[in-house]
Amino acid sequence: MTATEMSGSRGRRRSFDVDEAVETAMRLFHARGYDAVGVAELGAELGIKPPSFYAAFGSKAGLFERALHRYAAGEANIFARAQAEGGGVAEVIGRTLLLAARLYPRRNGVAGCLVLDGARNSADPEAAALAEAMRKAGAAAIRDFIATREPERAAALADFVMITMRGMSAAARDGADEAALTAFAEMAGRAFRRELAAEG
């Protein structure tokens, strides 16, 4: 989608591709975190001046929200991808963790999960709330799926999965590679399977 924004009081117009802008912002936020990326830098990277930036996105947090949704709509939605392949609860959760092990290692200067880590410890409450809302939505989807088999323990088991994924994301940002994360994911998957089989 191409947007044409006004960038001057005399009607000078500047055109830019909004989808491309969101993709660029997503990469910057993912690589460095929300707080480390300023509006001036975003404008320079996107090739637009602040008036056009604010006209298009409303605020830096507004752009971050769009970047989060774009990220979650792609391959980063590992639970949806795992679920789409079918199988029972233990199989799908194990597959989810293995997909995280493939997705999170550093590639092209980017590591971890944007949703889990992009606004970690952010000084901007709006950005932190946006990321938290998406994390909660993801946790709710996992909880509801687990509840099809273990309704009484679904919340605790979903917490296990989410905490595991957050730890894997943080480890990837600290340099853990795919082999190390895969080994951990396999262990976590076995632990989940044992807990799922245990009587509540």
Side-chain angles (χ1 to χ4, degrees), residues 89 140-155 157:
V89 169
I142 292 171
R143 182 198 64 221
D144 291 347
F145 176 67
I146 295 171
T148 61
R149 172 169 169 176
E150 287 287 341
E152 297 298 322
R153 297 190 295 144
L157 290 167

Side-chain angles (χ1 to χ4, degrees), residues 101-102 105 107 176-183:
R102 293 179 202 163
R107 293 185 180 86
D177 62 15
E178 184 172 344
L181 291 174
T182 297

Side-chain angles (χ1 to χ4, degrees), residues 106-165:
R106 186 172 300 278
R107 293 185 180 86
N108 301 317
V110 179
C113 173
L114 175 61
V115 174
L116 297 178
D117 283 319
R120 185 183 294 278
N121 300 321
S122 176
D124 185 330
E126 185 177 359
L130 289 167
E132 181 63 16
M134 190 160 285
R135 283 194 294 270
K136 286 182 177 178
I142 292 171
R143 182 198 64 221
D144 291 347
F145 176 67
I146 295 171
T148 61
R149 172 169 169 176
E150 287 287 341
E152 297 298 322
R153 297 190 295 144
L157 290 167
D159 283 346
F160 173 87
V161 176
M162 291 300 296
I163 291 169
T164 298
M165 290 169 63

Side-chain angles (χ1 to χ4, degrees), residues 35-179:
D35 286 7
V37 182
V39 170
E41 180 184 3
L42 285 166
E45 288 286 339
L46 305 182
I48 57 175
K49 296 186 181 299
S52 295
F53 177 90
Y54 290 111
F57 305 112
S59 65
K60 178 182 163 184
L63 177 55
F64 182 58
E65 181 176 20
R66 294 181 69 163
L68 285 172
H69 283 288
R70 186 182 189 90
Y71 179 79
E75 67 169 356
N77 195 340
I78 54 178
F79 174 64
R81 289 168 56 199
Q83 202 174 12
E85 293 185 31
V89 169
E91 184 179 358
V92 170
I93 295 302
R95 189 182 299 132
T96 298
L97 298 177
L98 288 172
L99 285 171
R102 293 179 202 163
L103 180 70
Y104 293 169
R106 186 172 300 278
R107 293 185 180 86
N108 301 317
V110 179
C113 173
L114 175 61
V115 174
L116 297 178
D117 283 319
R120 185 183 294 278
N121 300 321
S122 176
D124 185 330
E126 185 177 359
L130 289 167
E132 181 63 16
M134 190 160 285
R135 283 194 294 270
K136 286 182 177 178
I142 292 171
R143 182 198 64 221
D144 291 347
F145 176 67
I146 295 171
T148 61
R149 172 169 169 176
E150 287 287 341
E152 297 298 322
R153 297 190 295 144
L157 290 167
D159 283 346
F160 173 87
V161 176
M162 291 300 296
I163 291 169
T164 298
M165 290 169 63
R166 292 182 81 158
M168 292 172 68
S169 178
R173 293 175 75 89
D174 286 340
D177 62 15
E178 184 172 344

